[in-house]
Amino acid sequence: MSKTTFKPGTMLNPVPAVMVSCGSKPGEENIITIAWTGIVNSEPPITYVSVQRSRFSHDVIEREGEFVINLTTEALTRAADFCGVRSGRNVDKFAELSLTKEKADLVKCPMIAESPVNLECRVLEMKAFPTHDMFLAEIISVHVDTSLMDENGRLELERAGLVAYSHGEYFGLQKRPLGRFGYSVMKPKTKKRIAGERRQKYRKKEQKDGRK
Ligand SMILES: Cc1cc2nc3c(=O)[nH]c(=O)nc-3n(C[C@H](O)[C@H](O)[C@H](O)COP(=O)(O)O)c2cc1C
């Protein structure tokens, strides 16, 4: 493999492109698309969103200290793109995109009902960087679409149709799962058991669908 050198830059790919809802006052309920996000701690779960100071959402999040991370699906990708190129200063993005505001449990700003996974977040601190302010926040509640749970209560997130963002493009993740956590070192016996479980699950689903 021969390589060329780029100047230092944000070449970390893929990243998420989440829809962050914020604001609880009339005219301030808004959605901003964010790629600069991630997890920084597991227990308690802590995340961050890095937001440029020029964004309408920046001051709203700073003032209210709360936001919701709504995961983006293939069906929501066009809306996510729109929320990333239009400002809440000039357009009511919920209304323009016919997205439904859903009441959150603990924060005052709305969640996006059409997103299958919503993470309610409370800001812990804001750290200023030259181009962005990073809002470090605790994830204080998680909501998941119940139709994504199997009969044993296990979350089948692979069915949510989530998307990733890589080098300026959105990609669907649904079609080609390549392996689950730890598959590179999994014992053949475990691999076989998991494959068997998966086959059984799909057979059951086919039988169920056939009956409809
Ligand atoms: C895929 C994508 C990812 C983005 N990621 C970020 C980000 O991480 N931080 C940021 O400040 N702006 C990001 N933006 C830009 C904002 O979403 C955009 O400026 C938006 O219009 C701001 O909305 P607001 O003014 O209503 O807050 C992103 C845009 C897109 C399309």
Side-chain angles (χ1 to χ4, degrees):
M1 196 185 292
S2 148
K3 297 200 176 133
T4 184
T5 305
F6 276 41
K7 71 176 171 54
T10 56
M11 189 56 89
L12 176 69
N13 290 293
V15 287
V18 295
M19 299 170 80
V20 171
S21 47
C22 60
S24 63
K25 298 188 178 66
E28 284 197 353
E29 290 172 321
N30 191 37
I31 306 167
I32 175 174
T33 300
I34 292 287
W36 294 175
T37 180
I39 296 290
V40 294
N41 195 61
S42 313
E43 274 298 328
I46 297 177
T47 183
Y48 71 91
V49 290
S50 280
V51 186
Q52 285 200 27
R53 287 174 277 281
S54 61
R55 314 298 189 216
F56 178 66
S57 307
H58 177 282
D59 292 4
V60 176
I61 295 175
E62 186 177 18
R63 215 170 25 249
E64 300 209 355
E66 295 177 340
F67 59 87
V68 177
I69 294 180
N70 306 273
L71 301 194
T72 302
T73 60
E74 292 185 22
L76 283 172
T77 302
R78 196 187 157 278
D81 186 66
F82 185 90
C83 293
V85 293
R86 289 286 178 269
S87 178
R89 267 187 210 100
N90 315 312
V91 58
D92 176 345
K93 298 186 208 180
F94 273 101
E96 184 70 26
L97 297 163
S98 303
L99 292 173
T100 316
K101 292 172 193 167
E102 186 174 5
K103 201 180 161 336
D105 279 349
L106 303 174
V107 301
K108 289 199 278 307
C109 59
M111 314 195 292
I112 302 173
E114 288 78 4
S115 166
V117 182
N118 322 94
L119 284 62
E120 294 187 44
C121 301
R122 184 158 291 145
V123 175
L124 297 169
E125 66 176 274
M126 191 188 84
K127 194 164 166 39
F129 287 96
T131 60
H132 288 65
D133 282 344
M134 178 175 74
F135 293 98
L136 276 163
E138 183 170 345
I139 300 169
I140 53 175
S141 188
V142 174
H143 306 268
V144 178
D145 177 358
T146 50
S147 73
L148 295 175
M149 313 298 286
D150 72 8
E151 63 271 24
N152 302 314
R154 200 184 76 85
L155 172 61
E156 296 181 322
L157 196 55
E158 70 278 10
R159 286 200 285 111
L162 299 179
V163 300
Y165 185 63
S166 186
H167 203 50
E169 277 189 282
Y170 307 96
F171 292 90
L173 301 175
Q174 202 172 20
K175 305 293 183 298
R176 286 187 61 210
L178 301 175
R180 64 165 65 180
F181 176 85
Y183 83 103
S184 60
V185 293
M186 209 174 262
K187 290 196 184 87
K189 221 170 103 184
T190 316
K191 247 187 215 167
K192 225 169 129 183
R193 177 176 57 73
I194 289 172
E197 280 170 7
R198 181 166 282 169
R199 270 196 304 276
Q200 214 178 355
K201 187 180 260 179
Y202 285 126
R203 253 201 305 273
K204 263 195 205 160
K205 194 175 173 303
E206 273 173 15
Q207 279 169 2
K208 211 170 128 193
D209 292 349
R211 275 202 300 271
K212 276 183 190 161

